[in-house]
Amino acid sequence: MSARDRILGKLRAAAPAQTPVEPDVAGYYARHTLQHALPARLAHFSHMMRAVHTEVIYTRADSWPQALAARAAQAGWRHVLLAPNTAHGARAAQALQGLATPPQLKSYDRPIDDWKAELFHDVDAAFTTTRAGIAETGTLIVWPDADEPRAMSLVPPVHIALFDASRLYENFYQAVSTEGWANGLPTNSLLISGPSKTADIQQTLAYGAHGPRELIVLAIVPDDIDLAELEAAQ
Amino acid sequence: MSTHPITVHPARSFKANSHDAVNDPHLRKSFRGAMDFLMAKRAAQFPDHNELEALRSLGETVRQRCLAKLPQLLEKLEAQLTANGVKVHWAETPEEANAIIHGLIAARNGKLAVKGKSMVSEETELNHYLEAHGVQAVESDMGEYIVQLAGEKPSHIIMPAIHKTKAQIATLFHDNIPAAPYTEDVDELIQLGRNALRGMYLKADVGISGVNFAVAETGTLCLVENEGNGRMCTTVPDMHIAITGIEKVVEKLSDVIPLYSILPRSATGQAITTYFNMISRPRQPGEKDGPREVHLVLLDNGRSQAYADEQLRKTLQCIRCGACMNHCPVYSRIGGHAYGTVYPGPIGKIISPHMLGLNDTQDLPTASSLCGACGEVCPVRIPIPEMLMRLREEAARDPEEKVPHPLAGQGAAYSPQLARVWSLWRTVYSRPALYRAFSWLATRLRVFTPRRQLGWTVHRTPLTPAKQSLHELVRQRQSSR
Ligand code: SF4
């Protein structure tokens, strides 16, 4: 008999006969989900994100590439990784190339195995999109894919995340149930709530433990929301 | 690294260890400070008491429902993961788990493994096993890395290096990381660790990790972390081996939501961790990173013994948040090493007897004042004090006594003398005439009370009866009115 059969046999012999109480996860979240309008949700999202050292930049659908370019010029990144064959990647590339001293652009066009060392040593910042956000905890939902693989939000020291702020859920439950995640998940899916951090040395918080030291969120705010009011709502 | 001796703290020397620990003022101060800090941070995360209690009840119901269906859920998990391309392995003992993992690494001629945080791999002493078989295993969680460099074991399940000072870590890094200067600046120390470990991710043949929740419905392994080392280990090397206990399976993806909401808040007082990493498949054609091979090793190691007993099954509800240790007056005084077990503190006292048997762990359930703090903070409402009393009972039970679900080491603390005393007492106490005669004699002959009273006088002054029994005193009082 295999270890599997022995373990399952022991468990089956002991499993309780009566049907267990069914937890009411949906009911709990029906009672505990806030119903805030987008500006309030967004203000809370930024508050939570900034509390853990994330930089949140409010921008608009037509001007985010300029915001990205301005931030790149300020930081002086020399090598930026992005996905030029996506619509947002192409716009980002165009804006960055328009800079007086443009960074060298790289794309994740080969399997990691072919350029591991370069990815680790010669990329200053990576630019990716995000799937959605969660207001309650200040969280980005990222589903890496062939254009923007997993390591892009992990290996380079800076991660710039483009976030369509109209896709901001109140909480994790709302995201999972609205999008029907239970029907299938991709190879890898992520919640990201800030730059990498640790408090393993004398409970002293330090950023940039293994992943990005900086997380910059370029939040595309719908035009009907006033940006100055949004900042003031913090 | 492999030349460092591994310090073992066998649970049998618990009494001596805890004696040493309470007499170490430095250790006591650092644990006291750290625990106060963690308790305050947790409290700040739950300003709404009703929300906390409702969430704890939900977490408890979710875990109990998953445990009630455990065998079916494990089969479903296996089927779903297999359909997703993840290979599932089963191990009854730590030795079996280690052999499986080594076999997988050896099959691709691997020499270097990077490890994310996994308490289950501490249970199996995997690093030790791999090193003995020519595979270097490097811990990549900062705390675990520090503890590994020091040749020690974690002293807390969430903050493994909580017993170490900046100065000690500065020396360790200076001595062990090539070209590392001596610095006590925490940011600089973290950068030193980061750079050293980034070199390892690049070279590693395999990444090993634990699992926080394994979702049967979707065949997904969920990992909770702040540092990103877990993501590194499960993304960069070409093979990922996850190891976890059989109790970690949950039925539905939505089950994870309340558990993940309460876990970081209870553990470190964070609203959420930096990363929640959901892995459902190996790298697919067209994808450019992630391991091409993913394996899950499911370990029993005594969990099925706890499962067999309805009361003790609740032990398996645990989501390993560490809140019970942070709030334990015993843990905060003696620290994690004194227990001599992989899991210290209250959860360690109730889970270790199943993993190691009561012969080795009989003292652990007694190291509690039963103050109840652990049970009150547990996010899944495990009645830890009840479990402690039950385990004391099992340790004191006659080894020959037949019970439906005997525990390994039943009767480890059994004393025939003590058992005789109690059976005598039972007879006396249940017969009024006998009891009256006994109390009359005991009070009148009080000067002859023995000075040595078995277990009682090990730590306490001997008992001497009063001049008259309580019954007599009350009777006198009533007749004098
Ligand atoms: S027993 Fe409860 S409090 Fe202790 S680690 Fe487990 S879940 Fe947390």
Side-chain angles (χ1 to χ4, degrees), chain A residues 4 6 10 22 108 112-113 146 150-151 153 155 185 187-189 191 193 196-198 200 202 208-211 213, chain B residues 34 65 75 78 92 140-141 143 165-166 191 194 198 201 226-227 231 234 274 276-278 280-281 283 287-289 313:
Chain A
R4 175 186 187 276
R6 279 193 301 272
K10 278 189 268 185
E22 193 55 33
Y108 209 133
I112 189 172
D113 323 73
R150 295 155 75 162
S153 59
V155 175
L185 283 168
T187 303
N188 181 228
S189 43
L191 303 188
S193 309
S196 145
K197 63 178 184 288
T198 182
D200 271 353
Q202 279 193 231
H210 295 277
R213 290 190 190 101
Chain B
R65 191 254 273 119
E75 283 178 287
E78 182 186 42
E92 271 190 296
S140 64
D141 172 89
T165 63
K166 273 191 282 203
Q191 290 318 301
R194 171 188 172 102
R198 282 195 158 221
Y201 302 131
N226 282 313
E227 296 187 358
R231 286 187 63 197
T234 60
T274 300
F276 188 67
N277 181 5
M278 292 164 270
S280 304
R281 269 173 212 91
R283 187 194 305 190
E287 292 176 349
K288 302 192 190 85
D289 60 15
R313 184 179 307 141

Short mmCIF file of all heavy atoms in Angstrom, two decimals, chain A residues 4 6 10 22 108 112-113 146 150-151 153 155 185 187-189 191 193 196-198 200 202 208-211 213, chain B residues 34 65 75 78 92 140-141 143 165-166 191 194 198 201 226-227 231 234 274 276-278 280-281 283 287-289 313:
data_model
loop_
_atom_site.label_atom_id
_atom_site.label_comp_id
_atom_site.label_asym_id
_atom_site.label_seq_id
_atom_site.Cartn_x
_atom_site.Cartn_y
_atom_site.Cartn_z
N ARG A 4 0.14 7.34 0.08
CA ARG A 4 -1.12 8.02 -0.23
C ARG A 4 -2.31 7.22 0.33
O ARG A 4 -3.17 7.75 1.02
CB ARG A 4 -1.24 8.15 -1.75
CG ARG A 4 -2.54 8.73 -2.21
CD ARG A 4 -2.62 8.67 -3.75
NE ARG A 4 -3.78 9.38 -4.23
CZ ARG A 4 -4.99 8.84 -4.29
NH1 ARG A 4 -5.20 7.59 -3.92
NH2 ARG A 4 -6.01 9.56 -4.74
N ARG A 6 -2.32 4.87 2.57
CA ARG A 6 -2.31 4.75 4.04
C ARG A 6 -2.83 6.03 4.68
O ARG A 6 -3.64 5.98 5.61
CB ARG A 6 -0.90 4.43 4.54
CG ARG A 6 -0.55 2.95 4.42
CD ARG A 6 0.71 2.61 5.21
NE ARG A 6 1.84 3.39 4.75
CZ ARG A 6 2.66 3.01 3.75
NH1 ARG A 6 2.45 1.86 3.14
NH2 ARG A 6 3.66 3.77 3.38
N LYS A 10 -6.35 6.30 6.81
CA LYS A 10 -6.45 6.74 8.22
C LYS A 10 -7.47 7.87 8.33
O LYS A 10 -8.27 7.90 9.26
CB LYS A 10 -5.08 7.24 8.71
CG LYS A 10 -4.15 6.11 9.15
CD LYS A 10 -2.90 6.68 9.83
CE LYS A 10 -1.79 6.87 8.81
NZ LYS A 10 -0.51 7.30 9.40
N GLU A 22 -21.86 24.75 7.05
CA GLU A 22 -21.33 25.44 5.87
C GLU A 22 -21.04 26.91 6.23
O GLU A 22 -21.92 27.62 6.69
CB GLU A 22 -22.38 25.35 4.75
CG GLU A 22 -21.90 25.72 3.37
CD GLU A 22 -20.69 24.95 2.88
OE1 GLU A 22 -20.52 23.75 3.23
OE2 GLU A 22 -19.89 25.56 2.16
N TYR A 108 10.96 41.78 -22.69
CA TYR A 108 11.09 40.40 -22.21
C TYR A 108 10.74 39.49 -23.39
O TYR A 108 9.69 38.88 -23.40
CB TYR A 108 10.11 40.21 -21.05
CG TYR A 108 10.50 39.20 -19.99
CD1 TYR A 108 10.41 39.51 -18.64
CD2 TYR A 108 10.92 37.92 -20.34
CE1 TYR A 108 10.73 38.60 -17.65
CE2 TYR A 108 11.24 37.00 -19.36
CZ TYR A 108 11.15 37.35 -18.02
OH TYR A 108 11.47 36.43 -17.05
N ILE A 112 13.33 33.42 -19.64
CA ILE A 112 14.21 33.91 -18.57
C ILE A 112 15.57 33.22 -18.62
O ILE A 112 16.61 33.84 -18.36
CB ILE A 112 13.55 33.72 -17.18
CG1 ILE A 112 14.37 34.43 -16.09
CG2 ILE A 112 13.34 32.25 -16.85
CD1 ILE A 112 13.71 34.48 -14.74
N ASP A 113 15.55 31.92 -18.96
CA ASP A 113 16.77 31.12 -18.96
C ASP A 113 17.86 31.72 -19.86
O ASP A 113 19.04 31.52 -19.64
CB ASP A 113 16.45 29.69 -19.43
CG ASP A 113 15.10 29.23 -18.92
OD1 ASP A 113 14.05 29.72 -19.43
OD2 ASP A 113 15.08 28.44 -17.97
N ALA A 146 2.40 36.24 -21.13
CA ALA A 146 3.57 36.06 -22.00
C ALA A 146 4.24 37.40 -22.31
O ALA A 146 5.46 37.47 -22.45
CB ALA A 146 3.15 35.34 -23.28
N ARG A 150 6.24 36.98 -15.09
CA ARG A 150 6.21 37.08 -13.62
C ARG A 150 7.35 37.91 -13.05
O ARG A 150 7.17 38.67 -12.10
CB ARG A 150 6.25 35.66 -13.03
CG ARG A 150 5.02 34.87 -13.37
CD ARG A 150 5.26 33.36 -13.36
NE ARG A 150 5.35 32.80 -12.02
CZ ARG A 150 5.21 31.50 -11.75
NH1 ARG A 150 4.97 30.64 -12.74
NH2 ARG A 150 5.33 31.06 -10.53
N ALA A 151 8.54 37.73 -13.61
CA ALA A 151 9.72 38.36 -13.02
C ALA A 151 9.72 39.88 -13.19
O ALA A 151 10.48 40.58 -12.52
CB ALA A 151 11.00 37.76 -13.61
N SER A 153 7.54 42.13 -12.32
CA SER A 153 7.12 42.84 -11.11
C SER A 153 7.93 42.40 -9.90
O SER A 153 7.58 42.68 -8.76
CB SER A 153 5.64 42.58 -10.85
OG SER A 153 5.42 41.19 -10.69
N VAL A 155 11.88 41.23 -10.16
CA VAL A 155 13.35 41.29 -10.17
C VAL A 155 13.91 42.73 -10.25
O VAL A 155 14.78 43.08 -9.45
CB VAL A 155 13.92 40.38 -11.29
CG1 VAL A 155 15.44 40.54 -11.38
CG2 VAL A 155 13.55 38.91 -11.01
N LEU A 185 -7.90 29.94 -12.77
CA LEU A 185 -6.87 30.94 -12.53
C LEU A 185 -5.74 30.73 -13.53
O LEU A 185 -5.54 29.62 -14.01
CB LEU A 185 -6.34 30.79 -11.10
CG LEU A 185 -7.24 31.36 -10.01
CD1 LEU A 185 -6.77 30.90 -8.63
CD2 LEU A 185 -7.28 32.88 -10.06
N THR A 187 -1.65 30.65 -14.77
CA THR A 187 -0.46 29.99 -14.22
C THR A 187 -0.06 30.63 -12.89
O THR A 187 0.17 29.96 -11.90
CB THR A 187 0.71 30.10 -15.21
OG1 THR A 187 0.30 29.53 -16.45
CG2 THR A 187 1.94 29.38 -14.69
N ASN A 188 0.00 31.96 -12.89
CA ASN A 188 0.39 32.66 -11.68
C ASN A 188 -0.45 33.92 -11.58
O ASN A 188 -0.62 34.64 -12.57
CB ASN A 188 1.88 33.01 -11.73
CG ASN A 188 2.38 33.73 -10.48
OD1 ASN A 188 3.05 34.75 -10.55
ND2 ASN A 188 2.05 33.21 -9.31
N SER A 189 -1.00 34.17 -10.40
CA SER A 189 -1.71 35.43 -10.19
C SER A 189 -1.24 36.00 -8.86
O SER A 189 -0.89 35.25 -7.95
CB SER A 189 -3.21 35.22 -10.23
OG SER A 189 -3.58 34.06 -9.52
N LEU A 191 -1.36 39.24 -5.76
CA LEU A 191 -1.77 40.49 -5.11
C LEU A 191 -0.47 41.17 -4.68
O LEU A 191 0.38 40.53 -4.06
CB LEU A 191 -2.64 40.24 -3.88
CG LEU A 191 -3.92 39.42 -4.05
CD1 LEU A 191 -4.73 39.45 -2.75
CD2 LEU A 191 -4.76 39.92 -5.21
N SER A 193 0.95 44.52 -2.64
CA SER A 193 0.56 45.63 -1.77
C SER A 193 1.79 46.35 -1.25
O SER A 193 2.08 46.33 -0.05
CB SER A 193 -0.29 45.11 -0.60
OG SER A 193 -1.34 44.31 -1.07
N SER A 196 8.70 45.32 -1.83
CA SER A 196 9.18 44.22 -0.99
C SER A 196 9.73 44.77 0.33
O SER A 196 10.34 45.83 0.37
CB SER A 196 10.27 43.50 -1.79
OG SER A 196 11.29 43.02 -0.97
N LYS A 197 9.47 44.07 1.43
CA LYS A 197 9.95 44.57 2.73
C LYS A 197 10.19 43.44 3.71
O LYS A 197 9.77 42.31 3.50
CB LYS A 197 8.94 45.55 3.32
CG LYS A 197 7.56 44.97 3.63
CD LYS A 197 6.67 46.03 4.25
CE LYS A 197 5.32 45.53 4.68
NZ LYS A 197 4.39 45.23 3.59
N THR A 198 10.90 43.77 4.79
CA THR A 198 11.14 42.80 5.85
C THR A 198 11.31 43.52 7.18
O THR A 198 11.73 44.67 7.21
CB THR A 198 12.40 41.94 5.58
OG1 THR A 198 12.54 40.98 6.65
CG2 THR A 198 13.67 42.77 5.52
N ASP A 200 12.79 41.51 9.67
CA ASP A 200 13.42 40.35 10.33
C ASP A 200 14.62 40.72 11.19
O ASP A 200 15.12 39.88 11.94
CB ASP A 200 13.81 39.30 9.29
CG ASP A 200 12.66 38.32 9.03
OD1 ASP A 200 11.65 38.41 9.76
OD2 ASP A 200 12.77 37.49 8.12
N GLN A 202 15.62 42.77 14.19
CA GLN A 202 15.14 43.53 15.36
C GLN A 202 13.84 44.28 15.09
O GLN A 202 13.66 45.42 15.51
CB GLN A 202 16.23 44.49 15.86
CG GLN A 202 17.23 43.75 16.72
CD GLN A 202 18.14 44.69 17.50
OE1 GLN A 202 19.34 44.55 17.46
NE2 GLN A 202 17.62 45.65 18.21
N GLY A 208 12.85 46.78 0.13
CA GLY A 208 13.77 46.23 -0.85
C GLY A 208 14.47 44.99 -0.33
O GLY A 208 15.68 44.85 -0.43
N ALA A 209 13.71 44.06 0.24
CA ALA A 209 14.33 42.85 0.79
C ALA A 209 14.84 41.95 -0.33
O ALA A 209 16.03 41.70 -0.42
CB ALA A 209 13.33 42.11 1.66
N HIS A 210 13.93 41.48 -1.18
CA HIS A 210 14.36 40.64 -2.31
C HIS A 210 13.78 41.14 -3.62
O HIS A 210 14.38 40.98 -4.66
CB HIS A 210 13.92 39.19 -2.11
CG HIS A 210 14.58 38.53 -0.95
ND1 HIS A 210 15.83 37.98 -1.02
CD2 HIS A 210 14.17 38.36 0.32
CE1 HIS A 210 16.16 37.50 0.17
NE2 HIS A 210 15.16 37.71 0.99
N GLY A 211 12.60 41.73 -3.55
CA GLY A 211 11.93 42.24 -4.74
C GLY A 211 12.20 43.72 -4.89
O GLY A 211 13.20 44.23 -4.39
N ARG A 213 12.55 47.66 -4.62
CA ARG A 213 12.67 48.58 -3.49
C ARG A 213 11.60 49.65 -3.58
O ARG A 213 11.22 50.24 -2.60
CB ARG A 213 14.02 49.31 -3.55
CG ARG A 213 15.17 48.45 -3.25
CD ARG A 213 16.43 49.30 -3.07
NE ARG A 213 17.54 48.39 -3.02
CZ ARG A 213 18.35 48.16 -4.05
NH1 ARG A 213 18.19 48.80 -5.18
NH2 ARG A 213 19.32 47.29 -3.93
N ALA B 34 9.79 42.40 21.88
CA ALA B 34 9.23 41.99 20.59
C ALA B 34 7.77 41.58 20.74
O ALA B 34 6.93 41.92 19.90
CB ALA B 34 10.05 40.83 20.02
N ARG B 65 -15.06 23.04 8.36
CA ARG B 65 -15.70 22.39 7.21
C ARG B 65 -14.63 21.70 6.34
O ARG B 65 -14.80 20.58 5.89
CB ARG B 65 -16.48 23.41 6.39
CG ARG B 65 -17.38 22.80 5.33
CD ARG B 65 -16.86 22.95 3.91
NE ARG B 65 -17.29 24.17 3.30
CZ ARG B 65 -16.43 25.10 2.87
NH1 ARG B 65 -15.13 24.95 3.04
NH2 ARG B 65 -16.87 26.16 2.27
N GLU B 75 -8.08 14.42 -2.16
CA GLU B 75 -8.18 13.75 -3.47
C GLU B 75 -8.53 14.74 -4.56
O GLU B 75 -8.00 14.69 -5.67
CB GLU B 75 -9.24 12.65 -3.40
CG GLU B 75 -8.73 11.42 -2.69
CD GLU B 75 -9.82 10.36 -2.61
OE1 GLU B 75 -10.76 10.54 -1.82
OE2 GLU B 75 -9.71 9.35 -3.34
N GLU B 78 -5.52 16.81 -5.36
CA GLU B 78 -4.58 16.04 -6.18
C GLU B 78 -5.05 15.98 -7.63
O GLU B 78 -4.27 16.21 -8.56
CB GLU B 78 -4.45 14.62 -5.61
CG GLU B 78 -3.46 13.77 -6.37
CD GLU B 78 -3.45 12.32 -5.87
OE1 GLU B 78 -4.54 11.77 -5.62
OE2 GLU B 78 -2.36 11.75 -5.74
N GLU B 92 4.27 9.89 4.56
CA GLU B 92 3.76 9.70 5.92
C GLU B 92 4.74 10.25 6.95
O GLU B 92 4.34 10.73 7.99
CB GLU B 92 3.56 8.20 6.18
CG GLU B 92 2.21 7.69 5.80
CD GLU B 92 2.00 6.28 6.32
OE1 GLU B 92 2.73 5.38 5.87
OE2 GLU B 92 1.12 6.09 7.18
N SER B 140 16.24 31.57 2.11
CA SER B 140 16.27 32.90 1.51
C SER B 140 15.41 33.92 2.25
O SER B 140 15.57 35.12 2.04
CB SER B 140 15.85 32.82 0.04
OG SER B 140 14.52 32.40 -0.04
N ASP B 141 14.51 33.48 3.11
CA ASP B 141 13.81 34.43 3.97
C ASP B 141 14.88 35.06 4.86
O ASP B 141 15.73 34.34 5.40
CB ASP B 141 12.78 33.67 4.81
CG ASP B 141 12.13 34.53 5.88
OD1 ASP B 141 11.12 35.16 5.57
OD2 ASP B 141 12.66 34.57 7.01
N GLY B 143 15.11 36.25 7.83
CA GLY B 143 15.23 35.69 9.17
C GLY B 143 15.79 34.29 9.16
O GLY B 143 16.68 33.93 9.94
N THR B 165 20.31 39.98 17.81
CA THR B 165 20.45 41.44 17.81
C THR B 165 21.14 41.90 16.52
O THR B 165 21.78 41.10 15.83
CB THR B 165 21.33 41.90 18.99
OG1 THR B 165 22.64 41.35 18.80
CG2 THR B 165 20.76 41.44 20.32
N LYS B 166 21.00 43.21 16.24
CA LYS B 166 21.67 43.80 15.07
C LYS B 166 23.16 43.49 15.08
O LYS B 166 23.75 43.15 14.06
CB LYS B 166 21.54 45.33 15.14
CG LYS B 166 20.30 45.88 14.54
CD LYS B 166 20.42 47.39 14.41
CE LYS B 166 20.17 48.06 15.75
NZ LYS B 166 19.75 49.46 15.65
N GLN B 191 20.48 45.01 2.54
CA GLN B 191 21.05 45.05 1.19
C GLN B 191 22.14 44.00 1.01
O GLN B 191 22.25 43.38 -0.05
CB GLN B 191 21.62 46.45 0.87
CG GLN B 191 20.54 47.51 0.68
CD GLN B 191 19.34 47.00 -0.12
OE1 GLN B 191 19.50 46.58 -1.26
NE2 GLN B 191 18.15 47.00 0.48
N ARG B 194 20.31 40.81 0.63
CA ARG B 194 19.63 40.81 -0.67
C ARG B 194 20.61 40.43 -1.79
O ARG B 194 20.35 39.55 -2.61
CB ARG B 194 19.06 42.21 -0.93
CG ARG B 194 18.52 42.44 -2.34
CD ARG B 194 18.16 43.92 -2.53
NE ARG B 194 17.80 44.26 -3.89
CZ ARG B 194 16.55 44.43 -4.33
NH1 ARG B 194 15.55 44.29 -3.49
NH2 ARG B 194 16.30 44.73 -5.58
N ARG B 198 20.50 37.14 -4.05
CA ARG B 198 20.21 37.28 -5.50
C ARG B 198 21.19 36.43 -6.30
O ARG B 198 20.82 35.84 -7.32
CB ARG B 198 20.26 38.74 -5.91
CG ARG B 198 18.99 39.46 -5.51
CD ARG B 198 18.81 40.81 -6.18
NE ARG B 198 17.40 41.14 -6.16
CZ ARG B 198 16.73 41.70 -7.17
NH1 ARG B 198 17.35 42.02 -8.27
NH2 ARG B 198 15.44 41.94 -7.07
N TYR B 201 19.69 32.92 -6.30
CA TYR B 201 18.53 32.69 -7.19
C TYR B 201 19.01 32.43 -8.62
O TYR B 201 18.45 31.63 -9.35
CB TYR B 201 17.58 33.88 -7.22
CG TYR B 201 17.02 34.29 -5.88
CD1 TYR B 201 17.05 35.62 -5.46
CD2 TYR B 201 16.44 33.35 -5.03
CE1 TYR B 201 16.53 36.01 -4.24
CE2 TYR B 201 15.92 33.72 -3.80
CZ TYR B 201 15.98 35.05 -3.41
OH TYR B 201 15.47 35.43 -2.20
N ASN B 226 6.14 38.87 2.59
CA ASN B 226 6.46 40.28 2.45
C ASN B 226 7.71 40.53 1.62
O ASN B 226 7.87 41.59 1.04
CB ASN B 226 6.73 40.89 3.83
CG ASN B 226 5.45 41.18 4.57
OD1 ASN B 226 4.52 41.75 4.02
ND2 ASN B 226 5.41 40.76 5.82
N GLU B 227 8.64 39.59 1.66
CA GLU B 227 9.98 39.89 1.16
C GLU B 227 10.13 39.73 -0.34
O GLU B 227 10.94 40.41 -0.96
CB GLU B 227 11.01 39.00 1.86
CG GLU B 227 11.10 39.28 3.35
CD GLU B 227 12.24 38.53 4.02
OE1 GLU B 227 12.96 37.76 3.34
OE2 GLU B 227 12.41 38.70 5.24
N ARG B 231 8.46 34.47 -3.93
CA ARG B 231 8.23 34.61 -5.37
C ARG B 231 9.50 34.26 -6.14
O ARG B 231 9.43 33.62 -7.19
CB ARG B 231 7.78 36.04 -5.70
CG ARG B 231 6.35 36.35 -5.30
CD ARG B 231 5.92 37.73 -5.81
NE ARG B 231 5.92 37.78 -7.27
CZ ARG B 231 5.91 38.91 -7.98
NH1 ARG B 231 5.92 40.09 -7.36
NH2 ARG B 231 5.89 38.88 -9.29
N THR B 234 9.90 30.55 -6.39
CA THR B 234 8.87 29.87 -7.17
C THR B 234 8.79 30.41 -8.60
O THR B 234 7.89 30.04 -9.34
CB THR B 234 7.49 30.01 -6.50
OG1 THR B 234 7.16 31.41 -6.40
CG2 THR B 234 7.48 29.41 -5.12
N THR B 274 2.85 42.05 1.64
CA THR B 274 3.20 42.64 0.35
C THR B 274 2.75 41.74 -0.81
O THR B 274 2.21 42.23 -1.79
CB THR B 274 4.72 42.85 0.26
OG1 THR B 274 5.09 43.72 1.33
CG2 THR B 274 5.11 43.49 -1.05
N PHE B 276 0.73 38.17 -2.23
CA PHE B 276 -0.08 36.96 -2.11
C PHE B 276 0.07 36.29 -3.47
O PHE B 276 -0.35 36.80 -4.50
CB PHE B 276 -1.54 37.31 -1.83
CG PHE B 276 -2.39 36.12 -1.52
CD1 PHE B 276 -2.18 35.40 -0.36
CD2 PHE B 276 -3.39 35.71 -2.38
CE1 PHE B 276 -2.96 34.28 -0.06
CE2 PHE B 276 -4.17 34.59 -2.09
CZ PHE B 276 -3.95 33.89 -0.93
N ASN B 277 0.77 35.16 -3.45
CA ASN B 277 1.25 34.53 -4.67
C ASN B 277 0.44 33.26 -4.92
O ASN B 277 0.48 32.33 -4.12
CB ASN B 277 2.74 34.22 -4.43
CG ASN B 277 3.44 33.58 -5.60
OD1 ASN B 277 2.88 33.42 -6.68
ND2 ASN B 277 4.70 33.20 -5.38
N MET B 278 -0.33 33.24 -6.01
CA MET B 278 -1.19 32.08 -6.30
C MET B 278 -0.62 31.33 -7.50
O MET B 278 -0.56 31.85 -8.61
CB MET B 278 -2.62 32.57 -6.63
CG MET B 278 -3.33 33.15 -5.42
SD MET B 278 -4.80 34.15 -5.88
CE MET B 278 -4.03 35.77 -6.06
N SER B 280 -0.84 28.09 -9.95
CA SER B 280 -1.77 27.04 -10.38
C SER B 280 -1.20 26.06 -11.39
O SER B 280 -1.80 25.01 -11.61
CB SER B 280 -3.05 27.66 -10.96
OG SER B 280 -3.65 28.53 -10.03
N ARG B 281 -0.07 26.42 -12.01
CA ARG B 281 0.46 25.57 -13.09
C ARG B 281 1.96 25.74 -13.21
O ARG B 281 2.47 26.79 -12.84
CB ARG B 281 -0.10 26.03 -14.44
CG ARG B 281 -1.35 25.40 -14.86
CD ARG B 281 -1.94 26.01 -16.11
NE ARG B 281 -3.37 25.86 -15.96
CZ ARG B 281 -4.16 26.75 -15.40
NH1 ARG B 281 -3.67 27.91 -15.04
NH2 ARG B 281 -5.43 26.51 -15.23
N ARG B 283 5.14 26.47 -15.90
CA ARG B 283 5.23 27.35 -17.07
C ARG B 283 4.55 26.69 -18.28
O ARG B 283 4.79 25.54 -18.58
CB ARG B 283 6.72 27.61 -17.40
CG ARG B 283 6.89 28.63 -18.48
CD ARG B 283 8.30 28.67 -19.06
NE ARG B 283 9.37 28.86 -18.06
CZ ARG B 283 10.63 29.12 -18.38
NH1 ARG B 283 10.98 29.25 -19.66
NH2 ARG B 283 11.55 29.24 -17.46
N GLU B 287 4.87 30.98 -22.37
CA GLU B 287 5.23 31.80 -21.20
C GLU B 287 6.75 31.82 -21.07
O GLU B 287 7.43 30.87 -21.44
CB GLU B 287 4.55 31.25 -19.94
CG GLU B 287 3.04 31.43 -19.99
CD GLU B 287 2.30 30.83 -18.80
OE1 GLU B 287 2.90 30.08 -18.01
OE2 GLU B 287 1.10 31.10 -18.68
N LYS B 288 7.28 32.92 -20.51
CA LYS B 288 8.74 33.08 -20.57
C LYS B 288 9.45 32.88 -19.24
O LYS B 288 10.67 32.87 -19.18
CB LYS B 288 9.08 34.46 -21.14
CG LYS B 288 8.49 34.65 -22.54
CD LYS B 288 9.05 35.87 -23.22
CE LYS B 288 8.30 36.20 -24.50
NZ LYS B 288 7.11 37.03 -24.25
N ASP B 289 8.69 32.75 -18.17
CA ASP B 289 9.37 32.40 -16.91
C ASP B 289 8.47 31.55 -16.04
O ASP B 289 7.36 31.18 -16.43
CB ASP B 289 9.92 33.65 -16.19
CG ASP B 289 8.83 34.65 -15.83
OD1 ASP B 289 7.64 34.28 -15.87
OD2 ASP B 289 9.19 35.81 -15.52
N ARG B 313 -8.69 17.06 16.81
CA ARG B 313 -8.71 17.44 15.39
C ARG B 313 -8.63 18.96 15.23
O ARG B 313 -8.08 19.47 14.27
CB ARG B 313 -9.99 16.91 14.74
CG ARG B 313 -10.06 17.15 13.24
CD ARG B 313 -11.34 16.58 12.65
NE ARG B 313 -11.50 15.19 13.02
CZ ARG B 313 -12.66 14.63 13.35
NH1 ARG B 313 -13.77 15.32 13.30
NH2 ARG B 313 -12.72 13.36 13.69
#
